[in-house]
Amino acid sequence: MSICVRPAISFLLLANAMAAIAMGDDDPLLAMVRIDRFEIGVDDTHVPQRVEADAWVGHDIHKLWLKTELEREGSETETAEMQLQFSRALSSYWDVQLGWKRDFQPTPQKDWLALGIQGLAPYYFDTNAELFLGSSGRVAFEFDTEYELLLTQRWVLSPEIELSFNGYNDESTGQG
């Protein structure tokens, strides 16, 4: 049996935004926290868990992003990663991002330079593409896109495609 809760939680720094609006600031400091996936499975032997979350703070043009993913089975962490990225708007719907990524699990830990683009493609496809450059010439590429199909005003179907490519052989992840 598996329980999947997928809330999109957005928190704005209300006090700061209200103060900025009251003072006439056209570009207030805003923040957002989103838990994209929160899964807990229940069975007789293992309790699988998965969390995907991200947050940002900044203005319309420049933002600082924090992204994290965690996957556990029982008491063992299978994958854990965190990203810290600076984002700059290219247009109304697209941002370019530059930052750092650390893979905590599987061991050994790996650090990456992250370069990506994120935005809303035509027909409202939420798209994210990232290129990662690591030590010893390691290269990885991740692409994901998602579409929200409104079945009713309360029911939303969100098909998602995620692709990952690695340009190296690694004992912990297998061949690239």
Side-chain angles (χ1 to χ4, degrees):
M1 180 176 157
S2 179
I3 301 169
C4 179
V5 179
R6 191 179 171 119
I9 302 172
S10 296
F11 296 108
L12 297 176
L13 294 175
L14 187 58
N16 192 9
M18 293 300 279
I21 291 170
M23 296 191 314
D25 189 0
D26 288 340
D27 192 15
L29 180 67
L30 301 173
M32 184 271 307
V33 175
R34 177 177 56 205
I35 300 171
D36 195 37
R37 180 168 294 160
F38 183 76
E39 297 179 2
I40 298 175
V42 180
D43 62 18
D44 296 338
T45 57
H46 303 288
V47 180
Q49 304 160 353
R50 184 169 180 178
V51 175
E52 291 179 19
D54 54 13
W56 60 258
V57 62
H59 299 276
D60 286 342
I61 304 295
H62 301 101
K63 295 180 179 78
L64 185 63
W65 281 81
L66 178 66
K67 302 176 184 180
T68 186
E69 289 187 29
L70 174 71
E71 190 170 342
R72 296 176 52 104
E73 179 134 357
S75 61
E76 184 177 327
T77 302
E78 293 184 5
T79 60
E81 72 178 45
M82 182 185 308
Q83 296 181 41
L84 183 64
Q85 297 179 342
F86 171 76
S87 177
R88 172 137 175 42
L90 291 176
S91 69
S92 298
Y93 297 105
W94 292 97
D95 291 351
V96 66
Q97 298 179 333
L98 177 67
W100 163 82
K101 173 186 171 185
R102 172 168 275 186
D103 293 331
F104 295 99
Q105 288 289 348
T107 54
Q109 295 181 357
K110 296 177 192 77
D111 290 313
W112 304 84
L113 173 69
L115 176 63
I117 188 164
Q118 174 177 311
L120 196 61
Y123 300 102
Y124 302 104
F125 283 90
D126 188 13
T127 305
N128 187 24
E130 293 179 296
L131 178 67
F132 301 105
L133 305 172
S135 61
S136 304
R138 292 186 166 155
V139 178
F141 177 75
E142 293 180 2
F143 174 84
D144 63 80
T145 187
E146 177 181 343
Y147 183 76
E148 291 186 354
L149 181 62
L150 298 171
L151 301 175
T152 68
Q153 290 185 353
R154 293 185 182 187
W155 289 81
V156 178
L157 179 64
S158 296
E160 182 176 4
I161 295 174
E162 293 183 17
L163 301 172
S164 295
F165 301 98
N166 291 307
Y168 61 92
N169 292 333
D170 193 346
E171 294 176 9
S172 61
T173 59
Q175 285 188 318

